[in-house]
PDB file of all heavy atoms in Angstrom:
ATOM      1  N   GLN A   1       0.819  -1.218   0.000  1.00  0.00           N
ATOM      2  CA  GLN A   1       0.000   0.000   0.000  1.00  0.00           C
ATOM      3  C   GLN A   1       0.851   1.266   0.000  1.00  0.00           C
ATOM      4  O   GLN A   1       0.338   2.367   0.197  1.00  0.00           O
ATOM      5  CB  GLN A   1      -0.890   0.011   1.243  1.00  0.00           C
ATOM      6  CG  GLN A   1      -1.742  -1.241   1.413  1.00  0.00           C
ATOM      7  CD  GLN A   1      -2.499  -1.221   2.726  1.00  0.00           C
ATOM      8  OE1 GLN A   1      -3.312  -0.349   2.981  1.00  0.00           O
ATOM      9  NE2 GLN A   1      -2.227  -2.200   3.571  1.00  0.00           N
ATOM     10  N   SER A   2       2.147   1.139  -0.231  1.00  0.00           N
ATOM     11  CA  SER A   2       3.066   2.266  -0.112  1.00  0.00           C
ATOM     12  C   SER A   2       2.734   3.398  -1.085  1.00  0.00           C
ATOM     13  O   SER A   2       2.341   3.169  -2.237  1.00  0.00           O
ATOM     14  CB  SER A   2       4.501   1.791  -0.350  1.00  0.00           C
ATOM     15  OG  SER A   2       5.393   2.880  -0.361  1.00  0.00           O
ATOM     16  N   LEU A   3       2.930   4.612  -0.611  1.00  0.00           N
ATOM     17  CA  LEU A   3       2.730   5.803  -1.438  1.00  0.00           C
ATOM     18  C   LEU A   3       3.995   6.182  -2.213  1.00  0.00           C
ATOM     19  O   LEU A   3       3.984   7.165  -2.960  1.00  0.00           O
ATOM     20  CB  LEU A   3       2.345   6.993  -0.545  1.00  0.00           C
ATOM     21  CG  LEU A   3       1.044   6.878   0.246  1.00  0.00           C
ATOM     22  CD1 LEU A   3       0.930   8.059   1.206  1.00  0.00           C
ATOM     23  CD2 LEU A   3      -0.151   6.846  -0.688  1.00  0.00           C
ATOM     24  N   SER A   4       5.068   5.418  -2.040  1.00  0.00           N
ATOM     25  CA  SER A   4       6.352   5.789  -2.639  1.00  0.00           C
ATOM     26  C   SER A   4       6.273   6.124  -4.126  1.00  0.00           C
ATOM     27  O   SER A   4       6.877   7.100  -4.575  1.00  0.00           O
ATOM     28  CB  SER A   4       7.382   4.676  -2.404  1.00  0.00           C
ATOM     29  OG  SER A   4       7.684   4.567  -1.031  1.00  0.00           O
ATOM     30  N   PRO A   5       5.531   5.348  -4.956  1.00  0.00           N
ATOM     31  CA  PRO A   5       5.491   5.681  -6.384  1.00  0.00           C
ATOM     32  C   PRO A   5       4.888   7.051  -6.686  1.00  0.00           C
ATOM     33  O   PRO A   5       5.129   7.619  -7.753  1.00  0.00           O
ATOM     34  CB  PRO A   5       4.624   4.556  -6.975  1.00  0.00           C
ATOM     35  CG  PRO A   5       4.728   3.429  -6.001  1.00  0.00           C
ATOM     36  CD  PRO A   5       4.811   4.087  -4.666  1.00  0.00           C
ATOM     37  N   THR A   6       4.091   7.592  -5.766  1.00  0.00           N
ATOM     38  CA  THR A   6       3.420   8.872  -6.017  1.00  0.00           C
ATOM     39  C   THR A   6       3.995  10.017  -5.185  1.00  0.00           C
ATOM     40  O   THR A   6       3.442  11.123  -5.197  1.00  0.00           O
ATOM     41  CB  THR A   6       1.911   8.741  -5.713  1.00  0.00           C
ATOM     42  OG1 THR A   6       1.727   8.431  -4.319  1.00  0.00           O
ATOM     43  CG2 THR A   6       1.274   7.657  -6.562  1.00  0.00           C
ATOM     44  N   LEU A   7       5.097   9.789  -4.481  1.00  0.00           N
ATOM     45  CA  LEU A   7       5.639  10.812  -3.589  1.00  0.00           C
ATOM     46  C   LEU A   7       5.878  12.131  -4.316  1.00  0.00           C
ATOM     47  O   LEU A   7       5.626  13.211  -3.783  1.00  0.00           O
ATOM     48  CB  LEU A   7       6.956  10.338  -2.961  1.00  0.00           C
ATOM     49  CG  LEU A   7       6.869   9.444  -1.726  1.00  0.00           C
ATOM     50  CD1 LEU A   7       8.260   9.078  -1.250  1.00  0.00           C
ATOM     51  CD2 LEU A   7       6.100  10.136  -0.605  1.00  0.00           C
ATOM     52  N   GLY A   8       6.375  12.037  -5.539  1.00  0.00           N
ATOM     53  CA  GLY A   8       6.717  13.233  -6.290  1.00  0.00           C
ATOM     54  C   GLY A   8       5.530  14.072  -6.707  1.00  0.00           C
ATOM     55  O   GLY A   8       5.706  15.188  -7.222  1.00  0.00           O
ATOM     56  N   THR A   9       4.319  13.576  -6.491  1.00  0.00           N
ATOM     57  CA  THR A   9       3.115  14.333  -6.867  1.00  0.00           C
ATOM     58  C   THR A   9       2.372  14.889  -5.658  1.00  0.00           C
ATOM     59  O   THR A   9       1.436  15.666  -5.821  1.00  0.00           O
ATOM     60  CB  THR A   9       2.138  13.438  -7.661  1.00  0.00           C
ATOM     61  OG1 THR A   9       1.636  12.404  -6.792  1.00  0.00           O
ATOM     62  CG2 THR A   9       2.832  12.792  -8.849  1.00  0.00           C
ATOM     63  N   LEU A  10       2.776  14.501  -4.467  1.00  0.00           N
ATOM     64  CA  LEU A  10       2.055  14.911  -3.260  1.00  0.00           C
ATOM     65  C   LEU A  10       2.382  16.360  -2.912  1.00  0.00           C
ATOM     66  O   LEU A  10       3.557  16.762  -2.907  1.00  0.00           O
ATOM     67  CB  LEU A  10       2.426  14.008  -2.082  1.00  0.00           C
ATOM     68  CG  LEU A  10       2.114  12.507  -2.249  1.00  0.00           C
ATOM     69  CD1 LEU A  10       2.574  11.743  -1.022  1.00  0.00           C
ATOM     70  CD2 LEU A  10       0.623  12.301  -2.486  1.00  0.00           C
ATOM     71  N   PRO A  11       1.377  17.165  -2.585  1.00  0.00           N
ATOM     72  CA  PRO A  11       1.636  18.573  -2.248  1.00  0.00           C
ATOM     73  C   PRO A  11       2.546  18.740  -1.034  1.00  0.00           C
ATOM     74  O   PRO A  11       3.286  19.723  -0.942  1.00  0.00           O
ATOM     75  CB  PRO A  11       0.238  19.149  -1.987  1.00  0.00           C
ATOM     76  CG  PRO A  11      -0.646  17.963  -1.729  1.00  0.00           C
ATOM     77  CD  PRO A  11      -0.068  16.853  -2.541  1.00  0.00           C
ATOM     78  N   GLU A  12       2.492  17.777  -0.103  1.00  0.00           N
ATOM     79  CA  GLU A  12       3.382  17.852   1.065  1.00  0.00           C
ATOM     80  C   GLU A  12       4.850  17.816   0.644  1.00  0.00           C
ATOM     81  O   GLU A  12       5.725  18.303   1.366  1.00  0.00           O
ATOM     82  CB  GLU A  12       3.102  16.694   2.032  1.00  0.00           C
ATOM     83  CG  GLU A  12       1.779  16.778   2.752  1.00  0.00           C
ATOM     84  CD  GLU A  12       0.612  16.285   1.902  1.00  0.00           C
ATOM     85  OE1 GLU A  12       0.863  15.699   0.818  1.00  0.00           O
ATOM     86  OE2 GLU A  12      -0.545  16.486   2.324  1.00  0.00           O
ATOM     87  N   VAL A  13       5.118  17.221  -0.525  1.00  0.00           N
ATOM     88  CA  VAL A  13       6.478  17.173  -1.060  1.00  0.00           C
ATOM     89  C   VAL A  13       6.735  18.349  -1.998  1.00  0.00           C
ATOM     90  O   VAL A  13       7.698  19.111  -1.838  1.00  0.00           O
ATOM     91  CB  VAL A  13       6.734  15.835  -1.786  1.00  0.00           C
ATOM     92  CG1 VAL A  13       8.069  15.859  -2.537  1.00  0.00           C
ATOM     93  CG2 VAL A  13       6.709  14.689  -0.790  1.00  0.00           C
ATOM     94  N   THR A  14       5.877  18.524  -2.992  1.00  0.00           N
ATOM     95  CA  THR A  14       6.138  19.525  -4.032  1.00  0.00           C
ATOM     96  C   THR A  14       6.071  20.959  -3.511  1.00  0.00           C
ATOM     97  O   THR A  14       6.710  21.859  -4.069  1.00  0.00           O
ATOM     98  CB  THR A  14       5.137  19.370  -5.190  1.00  0.00           C
ATOM     99  OG1 THR A  14       3.798  19.510  -4.694  1.00  0.00           O
ATOM    100  CG2 THR A  14       5.279  17.993  -5.838  1.00  0.00           C
ATOM    101  N   GLU A  15       5.313  21.194  -2.446  1.00  0.00           N
ATOM    102  CA  GLU A  15       5.178  22.552  -1.914  1.00  0.00           C
ATOM    103  C   GLU A  15       6.102  22.827  -0.730  1.00  0.00           C
ATOM    104  O   GLU A  15       6.072  23.916  -0.149  1.00  0.00           O
ATOM    105  CB  GLU A  15       3.722  22.800  -1.507  1.00  0.00           C
ATOM    106  CG  GLU A  15       2.752  22.740  -2.689  1.00  0.00           C
ATOM    107  CD  GLU A  15       1.295  22.850  -2.262  1.00  0.00           C
ATOM    108  OE1 GLU A  15       1.047  23.191  -1.085  1.00  0.00           O
ATOM    109  OE2 GLU A  15       0.408  22.588  -3.107  1.00  0.00           O
ATOM    110  N   ALA A  16       6.929  21.869  -0.365  1.00  0.00           N
ATOM    111  CA  ALA A  16       7.853  22.045   0.753  1.00  0.00           C
ATOM    112  C   ALA A  16       9.071  22.865   0.321  1.00  0.00           C
ATOM    113  O   ALA A  16       9.523  22.780  -0.821  1.00  0.00           O
ATOM    114  CB  ALA A  16       8.312  20.689   1.284  1.00  0.00           C
ATOM    115  N   ASP A  17       9.599  23.656   1.246  1.00  0.00           N
ATOM    116  CA  ASP A  17      10.865  24.349   0.994  1.00  0.00           C
ATOM    117  C   ASP A  17      12.016  23.349   1.006  1.00  0.00           C
ATOM    118  O   ASP A  17      13.008  23.511   0.291  1.00  0.00           O
ATOM    119  CB  ASP A  17      11.113  25.417   2.065  1.00  0.00           C
ATOM    120  CG  ASP A  17      10.097  26.550   1.996  1.00  0.00           C
ATOM    121  OD1 ASP A  17       9.654  26.885   0.885  1.00  0.00           O
ATOM    122  OD2 ASP A  17       9.739  27.093   3.062  1.00  0.00           O
ATOM    123  N   VAL A  18      11.877  22.341   1.834  1.00  0.00           N
ATOM    124  CA  VAL A  18      12.898  21.300   1.941  1.00  0.00           C
ATOM    125  C   VAL A  18      12.255  20.047   2.534  1.00  0.00           C
ATOM    126  O   VAL A  18      11.335  20.138   3.348  1.00  0.00           O
ATOM    127  CB  VAL A  18      14.089  21.776   2.818  1.00  0.00           C
ATOM    128  CG1 VAL A  18      13.645  22.066   4.233  1.00  0.00           C
ATOM    129  CG2 VAL A  18      15.219  20.757   2.817  1.00  0.00           C
ATOM    130  N   VAL A  19      12.725  18.897   2.087  1.00  0.00           N
ATOM    131  CA  VAL A  19      12.304  17.622   2.657  1.00  0.00           C
ATOM    132  C   VAL A  19      13.424  17.116   3.561  1.00  0.00           C
ATOM    133  O   VAL A  19      14.574  16.997   3.126  1.00  0.00           O
ATOM    134  CB  VAL A  19      11.993  16.586   1.560  1.00  0.00           C
ATOM    135  CG1 VAL A  19      11.784  15.196   2.172  1.00  0.00           C
ATOM    136  CG2 VAL A  19      10.759  17.003   0.774  1.00  0.00           C
ATOM    137  N   PHE A  20      13.080  16.852   4.815  1.00  0.00           N
ATOM    138  CA  PHE A  20      14.059  16.295   5.751  1.00  0.00           C
ATOM    139  C   PHE A  20      13.901  14.778   5.711  1.00  0.00           C
ATOM    140  O   PHE A  20      12.876  14.238   6.114  1.00  0.00           O
ATOM    141  CB  PHE A  20      13.820  16.818   7.172  1.00  0.00           C
ATOM    142  CG  PHE A  20      15.015  16.695   8.068  1.00  0.00           C
ATOM    143  CD1 PHE A  20      15.580  17.824   8.652  1.00  0.00           C
ATOM    144  CD2 PHE A  20      15.599  15.459   8.325  1.00  0.00           C
ATOM    145  CE1 PHE A  20      16.688  17.730   9.485  1.00  0.00           C
ATOM    146  CE2 PHE A  20      16.718  15.350   9.137  1.00  0.00           C
ATOM    147  CZ  PHE A  20      17.259  16.493   9.717  1.00  0.00           C
ATOM    148  N   LEU A  21      14.909  14.106   5.202  1.00  0.00           N
ATOM    149  CA  LEU A  21      14.854  12.651   5.066  1.00  0.00           C
ATOM    150  C   LEU A  21      15.238  11.985   6.382  1.00  0.00           C
ATOM    151  O   LEU A  21      16.382  12.045   6.812  1.00  0.00           O
ATOM    152  CB  LEU A  21      15.788  12.191   3.949  1.00  0.00           C
ATOM    153  CG  LEU A  21      15.382  12.615   2.537  1.00  0.00           C
ATOM    154  CD1 LEU A  21      16.446  12.196   1.525  1.00  0.00           C
ATOM    155  CD2 LEU A  21      14.034  12.024   2.160  1.00  0.00           C
ATOM    156  N   ALA A  22      14.260  11.351   7.010  1.00  0.00           N
ATOM    157  CA  ALA A  22      14.504  10.593   8.228  1.00  0.00           C
ATOM    158  C   ALA A  22      14.257   9.107   7.982  1.00  0.00           C
ATOM    159  O   ALA A  22      14.057   8.336   8.911  1.00  0.00           O
ATOM    160  CB  ALA A  22      13.609  11.095   9.356  1.00  0.00           C
ATOM    161  N   LEU A  23      14.238   8.723   6.703  1.00  0.00           N
ATOM    162  CA  LEU A  23      14.063   7.314   6.342  1.00  0.00           C
ATOM    163  C   LEU A  23      15.389   6.581   6.522  1.00  0.00           C
ATOM    164  O   LEU A  23      16.446   7.109   6.178  1.00  0.00           O
ATOM    165  CB  LEU A  23      13.595   7.197   4.887  1.00  0.00           C
ATOM    166  CG  LEU A  23      12.226   7.823   4.578  1.00  0.00           C
ATOM    167  CD1 LEU A  23      12.041   7.951   3.070  1.00  0.00           C
ATOM    168  CD2 LEU A  23      11.112   6.994   5.191  1.00  0.00           C
ATOM    169  N   HIS A  24      15.334   5.377   7.045  1.00  0.00           N
ATOM    170  CA  HIS A  24      16.543   4.564   7.222  1.00  0.00           C
ATOM    171  C   HIS A  24      16.375   3.255   6.463  1.00  0.00           C
ATOM    172  O   HIS A  24      15.334   2.596   6.554  1.00  0.00           O
ATOM    173  CB  HIS A  24      16.779   4.255   8.702  1.00  0.00           C
ATOM    174  CG  HIS A  24      16.912   5.476   9.568  1.00  0.00           C
ATOM    175  ND1 HIS A  24      17.681   6.562   9.210  1.00  0.00           N
ATOM    176  CD2 HIS A  24      16.374   5.782  10.778  1.00  0.00           C
ATOM    177  CE1 HIS A  24      17.615   7.480  10.162  1.00  0.00           C
ATOM    178  NE2 HIS A  24      16.823   7.025  11.124  1.00  0.00           N
ATOM    179  N   GLY A  25      17.389   2.875   5.720  1.00  0.00           N
ATOM    180  CA  GLY A  25      17.341   1.624   4.974  1.00  0.00           C
ATOM    181  C   GLY A  25      16.400   1.716   3.777  1.00  0.00           C
ATOM    182  O   GLY A  25      15.711   2.710   3.556  1.00  0.00           O
ATOM    183  N   GLY A  26      16.385   0.666   2.979  1.00  0.00           N
ATOM    184  CA  GLY A  26      15.450   0.555   1.862  1.00  0.00           C
ATOM    185  C   GLY A  26      15.538   1.725   0.895  1.00  0.00           C
ATOM    186  O   GLY A  26      16.596   2.317   0.685  1.00  0.00           O
ATOM    187  N   GLN A  27      14.384   2.077   0.307  1.00  0.00           N
ATOM    188  CA  GLN A  27      14.350   3.126  -0.704  1.00  0.00           C
ATOM    189  C   GLN A  27      14.670   4.502  -0.140  1.00  0.00           C
ATOM    190  O   GLN A  27      15.043   5.401  -0.891  1.00  0.00           O
ATOM    191  CB  GLN A  27      12.971   3.149  -1.368  1.00  0.00           C
ATOM    192  CG  GLN A  27      12.671   1.910  -2.200  1.00  0.00           C
ATOM    193  CD  GLN A  27      11.310   1.979  -2.872  1.00  0.00           C
ATOM    194  OE1 GLN A  27      10.432   2.720  -2.440  1.00  0.00           O
ATOM    195  NE2 GLN A  27      11.141   1.204  -3.930  1.00  0.00           N
ATOM    196  N   GLY A  28      14.545   4.681   1.162  1.00  0.00           N
ATOM    197  CA  GLY A  28      14.847   5.975   1.750  1.00  0.00           C
ATOM    198  C   GLY A  28      16.318   6.281   1.828  1.00  0.00           C
ATOM    199  O   GLY A  28      16.717   7.441   1.898  1.00  0.00           O
ATOM    200  N   GLU A  29      17.141   5.237   1.839  1.00  0.00           N
ATOM    201  CA  GLU A  29      18.575   5.451   2.025  1.00  0.00           C
ATOM    202  C   GLU A  29      19.394   4.960   0.841  1.00  0.00           C
ATOM    203  O   GLU A  29      20.602   5.177   0.803  1.00  0.00           O
ATOM    204  CB  GLU A  29      19.042   4.769   3.318  1.00  0.00           C
ATOM    205  CG  GLU A  29      20.297   5.350   3.904  1.00  0.00           C
ATOM    206  CD  GLU A  29      20.557   4.922   5.341  1.00  0.00           C
ATOM    207  OE1 GLU A  29      19.710   4.227   5.933  1.00  0.00           O
ATOM    208  OE2 GLU A  29      21.602   5.304   5.877  1.00  0.00           O
ATOM    209  N   ASP A  30      18.754   4.306  -0.131  1.00  0.00           N
ATOM    210  CA  ASP A  30      19.526   3.726  -1.234  1.00  0.00           C
ATOM    211  C   ASP A  30      19.591   4.621  -2.465  1.00  0.00           C
ATOM    212  O   ASP A  30      20.047   4.203  -3.519  1.00  0.00           O
ATOM    213  CB  ASP A  30      18.960   2.346  -1.614  1.00  0.00           C
ATOM    214  CG  ASP A  30      17.575   2.411  -2.241  1.00  0.00           C
ATOM    215  OD1 ASP A  30      17.036   3.521  -2.421  1.00  0.00           O
ATOM    216  OD2 ASP A  30      17.025   1.332  -2.558  1.00  0.00           O
ATOM    217  N   GLY A  31      19.117   5.852  -2.348  1.00  0.00           N
ATOM    218  CA  GLY A  31      19.174   6.787  -3.458  1.00  0.00           C
ATOM    219  C   GLY A  31      17.890   6.904  -4.250  1.00  0.00           C
ATOM    220  O   GLY A  31      17.738   7.828  -5.053  1.00  0.00           O
ATOM    221  N   THR A  32      16.937   6.002  -4.043  1.00  0.00           N
ATOM    222  CA  THR A  32      15.695   6.009  -4.819  1.00  0.00           C
ATOM    223  C   THR A  32      14.871   7.264  -4.550  1.00  0.00           C
ATOM    224  O   THR A  32      14.471   7.975  -5.481  1.00  0.00           O
ATOM    225  CB  THR A  32      14.858   4.757  -4.493  1.00  0.00           C
ATOM    226  OG1 THR A  32      15.629   3.584  -4.766  1.00  0.00           O
ATOM    227  CG2 THR A  32      13.595   4.721  -5.338  1.00  0.00           C
ATOM    228  N   VAL A  33      14.609   7.546  -3.281  1.00  0.00           N
ATOM    229  CA  VAL A  33      13.832   8.737  -2.929  1.00  0.00           C
ATOM    230  C   VAL A  33      14.603  10.002  -3.302  1.00  0.00           C
ATOM    231  O   VAL A  33      14.029  10.986  -3.784  1.00  0.00           O
ATOM    232  CB  VAL A  33      13.470   8.729  -1.431  1.00  0.00           C
ATOM    233  CG1 VAL A  33      12.869  10.069  -1.006  1.00  0.00           C
ATOM    234  CG2 VAL A  33      12.493   7.600  -1.137  1.00  0.00           C
ATOM    235  N   GLN A  34      15.924   9.982  -3.122  1.00  0.00           N
ATOM    236  CA  GLN A  34      16.736  11.138  -3.473  1.00  0.00           C
ATOM    237  C   GLN A  34      16.628  11.453  -4.965  1.00  0.00           C
ATOM    238  O   GLN A  34      16.513  12.624  -5.360  1.00  0.00           O
ATOM    239  CB  GLN A  34      18.201  10.879  -3.094  1.00  0.00           C
ATOM    240  CG  GLN A  34      18.472  10.875  -1.599  1.00  0.00           C
ATOM    241  CD  GLN A  34      18.159   9.559  -0.914  1.00  0.00           C
ATOM    242  OE1 GLN A  34      17.584   8.640  -1.499  1.00  0.00           O
ATOM    243  NE2 GLN A  34      18.548   9.448   0.338  1.00  0.00           N
ATOM    244  N   ALA A  35      16.667  10.406  -5.800  1.00  0.00           N
ATOM    245  CA  ALA A  35      16.546  10.618  -7.247  1.00  0.00           C
ATOM    246  C   ALA A  35      15.176  11.187  -7.602  1.00  0.00           C
ATOM    247  O   ALA A  35      15.058  12.073  -8.468  1.00  0.00           O
ATOM    248  CB  ALA A  35      16.785   9.301  -7.989  1.00  0.00           C
ATOM    249  N   LEU A  36      14.132  10.696  -6.947  1.00  0.00           N
ATOM    250  CA  LEU A  36      12.786  11.201  -7.193  1.00  0.00           C
ATOM    251  C   LEU A  36      12.699  12.687  -6.838  1.00  0.00           C
ATOM    252  O   LEU A  36      12.134  13.494  -7.588  1.00  0.00           O
ATOM    253  CB  LEU A  36      11.784  10.392  -6.379  1.00  0.00           C
ATOM    254  CG  LEU A  36      10.292  10.700  -6.545  1.00  0.00           C
ATOM    255  CD1 LEU A  36       9.472   9.451  -6.267  1.00  0.00           C
ATOM    256  CD2 LEU A  36       9.835  11.818  -5.608  1.00  0.00           C
TER     257      LEU A  36
END
């Protein structure tokens, strides 16, 4: 049920001045979210 594929479209992301990444392991730390 993960929202990861749509993260780049969410207003909480696109309208933020900065995203603070507190994800550990998996897609949060392997560069996937960073590339998005």
Side-chain angles (χ1 to χ4, degrees):
Q1 306 175 61
S2 175
L3 298 172
S4 293
T6 63
L7 277 180
T9 67
L10 300 178
E12 290 81 10
V13 171
T14 58
E15 297 174 12
D17 294 326
V18 62
V19 171
F20 200 120
L21 293 175
L23 297 166
H24 302 315
Q27 293 181 338
E29 204 165 355
D30 68 2
T32 302
V33 170
Q34 289 82 352
L36 183 152

